[in-house]
Structures are given as C-alpha cells and as structure tokens.
Amino acid sequence: MNLWRLIQKELFFRWRGSLAALVAVTLAAGTLLGTLNLLRLHETSAVNILAEKERETKVRGAALREELRKATLKLSFNLLILPEQIDLKDWYADQASEYDLPESYAQKLAESGVVTVRHFLPTIHRKLVWPEQGRTILLTGTRGEVANLFKNPRKPLVQPVPEGGIVLGHELHTSLGISPDDTVPLMGRDFAVHRLHEERGSKDDITVWISLKDAQELLGKEGRVSSILALECLCATGVERVREEIQKLLPGTQVLEMGSRVLARAETRIRAGKETKALLKEEAKQQAKLQAGRERLAAVLVPLIMVLCGGWIGLLSFTSARSRRDEIGMLRAVGFGTGRVLMIFIGKAVLIGFLGGLFGYVLGAALPAIFARGLEGLTSANLVAGWLLTNLLQAVLAAALLMVIAGWIPALLAARTDPAEALREK
Amino acid sequence: MLKFDNVTKTFNGPQGEIKALDAVSFTVEPGELVDIRGPSGCGKSTLLLTAGTLLQPTTGTVTIDGEDPYALSPNGRSALRASTIGFVFQQFHLVPYLSVIDNILLPSAVRKDARAHDRALELLNRFGLEHRGHHVPAQLSVGERQRTALARALFNQPKLLLADEPTGNLDPENGEIVLNTLKNFAAEGGAVLLVTHDTTDCATRTLQMLNGAL
Ligand SMILES: Nc1ncnc2c1ncn2[C@@H]1O[C@H](COP(=O)(O)OP(=O)(O)OP(=O)(O)O)[C@@H](O)[C@H]1O
Ligand SMILES: [Mg+2]
C-alpha cells in the first residue's frame, strides 16, 4: 500500500467528483491554450495576407519600374531652358522676352554628363518694331546645333540661317512684296533673303529669322540667348530629377519639359504603386487594431474562465475534503501524519491536473485549427502549429498549477482535520 | 503499558464546560484486558481517544510504553500510533474505496514492511475473509466489516489495542469472534483497553465509569 495507490483508488471510486474536476481543469487549460492558439492563428493569417499583398505590390512595382526604365531609355524628352525671371504666361503668349542667359550654358550642359542631349538650339527672341518697315515682328536669332560632345555631330535639326541671311514669315514677305533675291534692310543692316516661308497659320507668319550671331549683334546681346532648347534628351533617372539637376548646374534658369506622355503615364503608375503601399500600411494598421481587440477580449475572457474553473475546482475539493472526514480520521489513527494527508489531496489534484492539461492541450490545439480553417492566408502548416511539445508541457503544468492552487486550501483543511472529532462523528 | 495519571479533559461547549474526564487514573499492563464500563455520555470514548494519542488531555499525564505522547511532536505521535497502537471502533471506519485487503494493508503506507502482503493474507485467513479480499466495505456484511477493522488494527502488531464498543453493532456470533480476538491478543502479551456498556466476562479487570470518573 502506498499513497499513489490510495490516490488512484479514490480517484476512480469517486469518479463523478474526479470527472467534474477533470472537466473544469480541461476547460481552463483548453481555453487558455485555445485562446492563445487562436490569437496566434489570427495573427499568422494577417501577417501572411499582408506579406502576400506586399509581395504582389513589390512585383508589380518592380515591373513598373522596369517598364519605366525601358521607357526612359527608349524615349527621349525635350527640355526648354529659360531665364528664371521669365513669367511663363508671357512666354507662352509671345515666346519673346527681354531676359536672357549665357549662350555658353548649352556647352556647359553638354559637358556636364547630367543628360545626353542630341541637339541644342540656342535661340534669341525679341518682339520689336521693324524700324525700316514700321511693322511689329518677332525677331528670332537661331543657330543650327551645338554638337553634343558625347555624340557624333548630327545633321542640323533646323535649317540654320547663314550669317547675313534672312528668312521671312509668309505674312511679312507677301504684304511687303519681298521676293527671293531681294536684299532687305533690318535695323540698319542689309540681309540677303535666304528663304521665304509658305503660310503656316501661326506666329511664324510674322517671324523674321536671322543667324544667332547677327541677332546678338543687332540687339547688343553678344554671347546671350533667350532660351536653349535641348532636344532628344536621354537620361537614366526620371525627368523630375534631371530638371532639378540642370537647374542646379545652370544658375538663374528654369527648365520646362516639353511633352512626353509616356513618361507621365509611367510616373502616374508609380504614384499609384505608392498609394497601394499606403493602403497596405493602412490595412496592416487595421489588422493590428483587430488583433489588439481580440487580445483585449482574451485578456478578460481567459482570466474569467480561469477564475470560474478555479472556483469550481475549489468547491469540488472542499466538498471532497468534507466528505472524507471519517476516512481522514481513520488514516490519522493508523498513523498518517498531516503531511501525508496533504499529499493525498495535492497528489490527486496534480494527477487530475496532468490529465486535464493533456486533454486541454488536445482541445486547445484542435479547436482553434477547426475554427480558423476558414481564415484567409493560413497554410496547413500554420494550422498544425499548435501541436507543439512545449504547448503540451505548458498546458500540463498550468493545469496542475491551477488544480493545486484551487485545491490548496481544501487540502490544508483536510490535513488539519481533528481526527478525534472526525472519529466521534457518526 | 498504558498509564493515566489524574487525567482530566474538559470541553468548552455552548452550554459551558463539560468535564468528559475527571481525574482519571489507571494502568493497563501487557497481558491485561481492561474493560471500562459505563452509561452513555460518561466519557468512555473520550478516554479511549485520549489513550490513543488523538485527544490531548486538559490536565494530567498519559504514558504509553514509558513515554508521554503529548510531549512528542504531532509527527512523533503519528509514528507512535503507527508502531504501537491499534484501534477498533463501533463504526469500523473502513476506507470505502479500498478493498478489504487494502484496508488491512493501510498501516503499511506509513511503516514499510516487506512482508506486508503475507501478513495481510494471514489476517484475511484468520478472520475468515479470504473470499472477500477484493471486495470493498460496502459489499461486506456488518460482521465482516468489523473483522476487517480488527485485522487492520492487528496488522502492525501493536502493543496496545484500543476498542470502542467493537461489538455494539454486531450479532452475538461476530461479537464473540471479536471478543475472543481481544482476549487472545492480551493472552499473547498485548495490552487491551476495551470500552463497552454491556457486560462481558472476558476482561481481566473491569472499571466502572460514571460522569467522567472511575
Ligand atoms: N468534542 C467535544 N465537544 C464537546 N463535548 C464533547 C466532545 N466530545 C465529547 N463531549 C462530551 O463529553 C461527554 C462524554 O462523551 P463521550 O463520547 O466520551 O461519551 P461515551 O461514554 O463514549 O458515550 P456513548 O456510550 O454514547 O458513546 C459527553 O457529554 C459529550 O457530549
Ligand atoms: Mg462512545
């Protein structure tokens, strides 16, 4: 005969009470573990969903960037460099202004390597009254191109006007009756007609073109230009960046990009990608909030159930200790000390605790997996993650601890039972 | 073996003090079977529990085997009970979830004994319980229950047997078995303190008790 046998026999003899305690402790351990597992599954689900979305976004973003890179490589853009004082409203209206910038800027930009430019068109514009004719004209001094240092010299993009030559817009030469072989006086100098334009239906019809050098001399603006048009620029970075860099390189300028719809579209899509990222962030925040809510609920529910189950176990232990007074009296008479009696009760509590922990572990691992089956973003590996040896150990220890705590006072009462009193009772 | 010297036990009940034992002095020597007789409520059970080291007297000293048990620690008293004293009660006080043999073996949970099982079987046979070894008390007749209790009391080979109206619930035949057992125990050198309220002729000495006094 030993205590273990005693505990075992009693456990099965009073199986109703033992079962009730087992149910209580199983419930407690199962709830504890199950809640933790369910929370973990929800979190895993959220993390997995977000990770998947993030991955998708990343892939999409990478594709976009790649597309943009290709587009940037393939497609050139045009930049118009103007003195920074120019009000763009006026510029768009007249394409002429009294402000200017150094002609050398074209060279400087070409040498900088910030951007590869195929053609430079430095131009000087002035709206003025043609003194010899008394007519308002747009005087444009132009030059072919500055050959990009990194490129082979190209065929001029626009037909250059030779020095001493003049090109006249359609309205001008028709109304003034100028013919191809005439010599035309302009601001006290004679220019040989180089070409007479057909009608274009634009400002060009009242425009006078002469060579840049001649225009600079006439206007007293040697080495100065009104604008530089950089045509067919190529760069690896975005247009935005290039504009900034050029503005830094060429002080006192503003840089306009002239029409490039493909790039605009690509940039829009990149912006959309950024918005998706923001949405993702928002979703992560939302998920975290939901999870925090679940955790708050668990933080109330789990202790509540623990306390209820603990109370139930305490009550059962107390009832058991009371109903065993007679037996305890006899055990004491036979020579059992108080420690031995205490051990009988605590031993039973621990035994039921171990069993309850085991059942609770099974419950706590199986039920969340069943509940969470419909949850998005969970792999089957995630679902079985609750079946863990450490979880089993935790459940068993927690259950045994709960049993011992809840049964401690009743066990002490049992051990302290006065045997003389107990043996006198009928 | 057992010596009461001017032992008094008072209880503080709701109606004031009750003197359950009033200056009781007597001895029980080995080989003696002392029968204490008296009306209900005169203090017989109190006397027995005090002798059994389970109830501390208010004044006076109890000596068992030359030792004052109430001077010992609680664990010392438990050990003394386990080694020296056997109890038999009117109500048997069997452990309901243990079989007859396990009930008999109960003292071996405290005092390890390699021959425990053999001794239990021996006692089972001696009390005619060989077919009842694996039955629980609820399945036994009243007489069988008291025989089981008797076997348990004798299991540790005590020097002092304390019996509180052991025949009170029994038919004459089983009562005879119990009393003969006590007589034999005394004849073999044990000390027996028996408490009854009906007459028996097996005692070596009979003491009359009234209102807590002998
Ligand atoms: N724990 C106690 N508290 C208060 N009074 C007690 C206690 N134990 C015994 N008594 C009182 O002490 C007296 C003696 O009781 P005891 O049980 O010893 O009588 P008894 O002689 O064994 O009677 P019976 O023959 O009916 O068993 C009784 O009056 C009883 O009420
Ligand atoms: Mg009595």
Side-chain angles (χ1 to χ4, degrees), chain B residues 141-163:
Chain B
S141 77
V142 172
E144 285 166 336
R145 287 181 209 183
Q146 191 60 303
R147 279 183 268 150
T148 305
L150 209 52
R152 181 182 59 194
L154 294 174
F155 178 83
N156 265 356
Q157 297 168 299
K159 295 178 184 165
L160 174 64
L161 209 53
L162 302 173

CSV table of all heavy atoms in Angstrom, one decimal, chain B residues 141-163:
chain,number,residue,atom,x,y,z
B,141,SER,N,-20.8,-7.7,4.8
B,141,SER,CA,-21.8,-7.7,6.0
B,141,SER,C,-21.1,-7.0,7.1
B,141,SER,O,-19.9,-6.7,7.1
B,141,SER,CB,-22.1,-9.2,6.4
B,141,SER,OG,-21.0,-9.7,7.2
B,142,VAL,N,-22.0,-6.6,8.1
B,142,VAL,CA,-21.5,-5.8,9.2
B,142,VAL,C,-20.4,-6.5,9.9
B,142,VAL,O,-19.4,-6.0,10.3
B,142,VAL,CB,-22.7,-5.5,10.1
B,142,VAL,CG1,-22.2,-4.8,11.4
B,142,VAL,CG2,-23.7,-4.6,9.4
B,143,GLY,N,-20.6,-7.8,10.2
B,143,GLY,CA,-19.6,-8.6,10.9
B,143,GLY,C,-18.3,-8.7,10.1
B,143,GLY,O,-17.2,-8.6,10.7
B,144,GLU,N,-18.4,-8.8,8.8
B,144,GLU,CA,-17.2,-8.9,8.0
B,144,GLU,C,-16.4,-7.6,8.1
B,144,GLU,O,-15.2,-7.5,8.1
B,144,GLU,CB,-17.5,-9.2,6.5
B,144,GLU,CG,-17.9,-10.7,6.3
B,144,GLU,CD,-18.6,-10.9,5.0
B,144,GLU,OE1,-19.2,-10.0,4.4
B,144,GLU,OE2,-18.5,-12.0,4.5
B,145,ARG,N,-17.2,-6.5,8.2
B,145,ARG,CA,-16.6,-5.2,8.3
B,145,ARG,C,-15.8,-5.1,9.6
B,145,ARG,O,-14.6,-4.6,9.6
B,145,ARG,CB,-17.6,-4.1,8.2
B,145,ARG,CG,-18.2,-3.9,6.8
B,145,ARG,CD,-19.2,-2.8,6.8
B,145,ARG,NE,-20.2,-3.1,5.8
B,145,ARG,CZ,-21.2,-2.3,5.4
B,145,ARG,NH1,-21.4,-1.1,6.1
B,145,ARG,NH2,-22.0,-2.6,4.5
B,146,GLN,N,-16.4,-5.5,10.6
B,146,GLN,CA,-15.7,-5.4,11.9
B,146,GLN,C,-14.5,-6.3,12.0
B,146,GLN,O,-13.4,-5.9,12.5
B,146,GLN,CB,-16.6,-5.6,13.1
B,146,GLN,CG,-16.1,-5.2,14.4
B,146,GLN,CD,-15.7,-3.8,14.6
B,146,GLN,OE1,-14.9,-3.2,13.8
B,146,GLN,NE2,-16.3,-3.1,15.5
B,147,ARG,N,-14.6,-7.4,11.3
B,147,ARG,CA,-13.4,-8.3,11.3
B,147,ARG,C,-12.3,-7.7,10.5
B,147,ARG,O,-11.1,-7.8,10.8
B,147,ARG,CB,-13.9,-9.7,10.7
B,147,ARG,CG,-14.5,-10.6,11.7
B,147,ARG,CD,-14.9,-11.9,11.2
B,147,ARG,NE,-16.2,-11.9,10.6
B,147,ARG,CZ,-16.6,-12.7,9.6
B,147,ARG,NH1,-15.7,-13.5,9.0
B,147,ARG,NH2,-17.9,-12.7,9.2
B,148,THR,N,-12.7,-7.0,9.4
B,148,THR,CA,-11.7,-6.3,8.6
B,148,THR,C,-11.0,-5.2,9.4
B,148,THR,O,-9.8,-5.1,9.4
B,148,THR,CB,-12.3,-5.7,7.4
B,148,THR,OG1,-13.0,-6.6,6.6
B,148,THR,CG2,-11.3,-5.0,6.5
B,149,ALA,N,-11.8,-4.5,10.2
B,149,ALA,CA,-11.2,-3.4,11.0
B,149,ALA,C,-10.3,-4.0,12.1
B,149,ALA,O,-9.2,-3.5,12.4
B,149,ALA,CB,-12.4,-2.7,11.7
B,150,LEU,N,-10.7,-5.2,12.6
B,150,LEU,CA,-9.9,-5.9,13.6
B,150,LEU,C,-8.5,-6.3,13.0
B,150,LEU,O,-7.5,-6.1,13.6
B,150,LEU,CB,-10.7,-7.1,14.1
B,150,LEU,CG,-10.4,-7.6,15.5
B,150,LEU,CD1,-10.5,-6.4,16.5
B,150,LEU,CD2,-11.4,-8.7,15.9
B,151,ALA,N,-8.6,-6.9,11.8
B,151,ALA,CA,-7.4,-7.3,11.1
B,151,ALA,C,-6.5,-6.1,10.9
B,151,ALA,O,-5.3,-6.2,11.0
B,151,ALA,CB,-7.8,-7.9,9.8
B,152,ARG,N,-7.1,-5.0,10.4
B,152,ARG,CA,-6.3,-3.8,10.2
B,152,ARG,C,-5.6,-3.3,11.5
B,152,ARG,O,-4.4,-2.9,11.5
B,152,ARG,CB,-7.1,-2.6,9.7
B,152,ARG,CG,-6.3,-1.4,9.4
B,152,ARG,CD,-7.2,-0.3,8.9
B,152,ARG,NE,-8.3,0.0,9.9
B,152,ARG,CZ,-9.3,0.8,9.6
B,152,ARG,NH1,-9.5,1.2,8.4
B,152,ARG,NH2,-10.2,1.0,10.5
B,153,ALA,N,-6.4,-3.4,12.6
B,153,ALA,CA,-5.8,-2.9,13.9
B,153,ALA,C,-4.6,-3.8,14.3
B,153,ALA,O,-3.7,-3.4,15.0
B,153,ALA,CB,-6.9,-3.0,15.0
B,154,LEU,N,-4.7,-5.1,13.9
B,154,LEU,CA,-3.6,-6.0,14.4
B,154,LEU,C,-2.4,-6.0,13.4
B,154,LEU,O,-1.4,-6.6,13.7
B,154,LEU,CB,-4.2,-7.4,14.5
B,154,LEU,CG,-5.2,-7.6,15.6
B,154,LEU,CD1,-5.8,-9.0,15.5
B,154,LEU,CD2,-4.6,-7.4,17.0
B,155,PHE,N,-2.6,-5.4,12.2
B,155,PHE,CA,-1.7,-5.6,11.1
B,155,PHE,C,-0.2,-5.2,11.6
B,155,PHE,O,0.7,-5.9,11.3
B,155,PHE,CB,-2.1,-4.7,9.9
B,155,PHE,CG,-1.1,-4.8,8.8
B,155,PHE,CD1,-1.1,-5.8,7.9
B,155,PHE,CD2,-0.1,-3.8,8.6
B,155,PHE,CE1,-0.2,-5.9,6.9
B,155,PHE,CE2,0.8,-3.9,7.6
B,155,PHE,CZ,0.8,-5.0,6.7
B,156,ASN,N,-0.1,-4.1,12.2
B,156,ASN,CA,1.2,-3.6,12.6
B,156,ASN,C,1.8,-4.2,13.9
B,156,ASN,O,2.8,-3.8,14.4
B,156,ASN,CB,1.2,-2.1,12.8
B,156,ASN,CG,1.7,-1.4,11.5
B,156,ASN,OD1,2.1,-2.1,10.5
B,156,ASN,ND2,1.6,-0.1,11.4
B,157,GLN,N,1.1,-5.2,14.4
B,157,GLN,CA,1.5,-5.9,15.6
B,157,GLN,C,1.7,-4.9,16.8
B,157,GLN,O,2.8,-4.7,17.3
B,157,GLN,CB,2.7,-6.7,15.4
B,157,GLN,CG,2.5,-7.8,14.4
B,157,GLN,CD,3.7,-8.5,13.9
B,157,GLN,OE1,4.6,-7.8,13.3
B,157,GLN,NE2,3.8,-9.8,14.1
B,158,PRO,N,0.6,-4.2,17.1
B,158,PRO,CA,0.7,-3.2,18.1
B,158,PRO,C,0.9,-3.8,19.5
B,158,PRO,O,0.7,-5.0,19.7
B,158,PRO,CB,-0.7,-2.5,18.0
B,158,PRO,CG,-1.6,-3.5,17.6
B,158,PRO,CD,-0.8,-4.4,16.6
B,159,LYS,N,1.3,-2.9,20.4
B,159,LYS,CA,1.4,-3.4,21.8
B,159,LYS,C,0.1,-3.0,22.6
B,159,LYS,O,-0.1,-3.6,23.7
B,159,LYS,CB,2.6,-2.7,22.5
B,159,LYS,CG,3.9,-3.1,21.9
B,159,LYS,CD,5.0,-2.3,22.5
B,159,LYS,CE,6.4,-2.6,21.9
B,159,LYS,NZ,7.4,-1.6,22.3
B,160,LEU,N,-0.6,-2.1,22.1
B,160,LEU,CA,-1.8,-1.6,22.8
B,160,LEU,C,-3.0,-1.6,21.8
B,160,LEU,O,-2.9,-1.0,20.7
B,160,LEU,CB,-1.6,-0.2,23.3
B,160,LEU,CG,-2.8,0.5,24.0
B,160,LEU,CD1,-3.2,-0.2,25.2
B,160,LEU,CD2,-2.4,1.9,24.3
B,161,LEU,N,-4.1,-2.3,22.2
B,161,LEU,CA,-5.3,-2.3,21.4
B,161,LEU,C,-6.3,-1.5,22.1
B,161,LEU,O,-6.6,-1.7,23.2
B,161,LEU,CB,-5.7,-3.7,21.1
B,161,LEU,CG,-6.4,-4.1,19.9
B,161,LEU,CD1,-5.7,-3.7,18.6
B,161,LEU,CD2,-6.7,-5.6,19.8
B,162,LEU,N,-6.9,-0.5,21.3
B,162,LEU,CA,-8.0,0.3,21.9
B,162,LEU,C,-9.3,0.0,21.2
B,162,LEU,O,-9.3,0.2,20.0
B,162,LEU,CB,-7.6,1.8,21.8
B,162,LEU,CG,-6.3,2.2,22.4
B,162,LEU,CD1,-6.0,3.7,22.1
B,162,LEU,CD2,-6.4,2.0,24.0
B,163,ALA,N,-10.3,-0.5,21.9
B,163,ALA,CA,-11.5,-0.9,21.2
B,163,ALA,C,-12.7,-0.2,21.8
B,163,ALA,O,-12.9,-0.3,23.0
B,163,ALA,CB,-11.7,-2.4,21.4
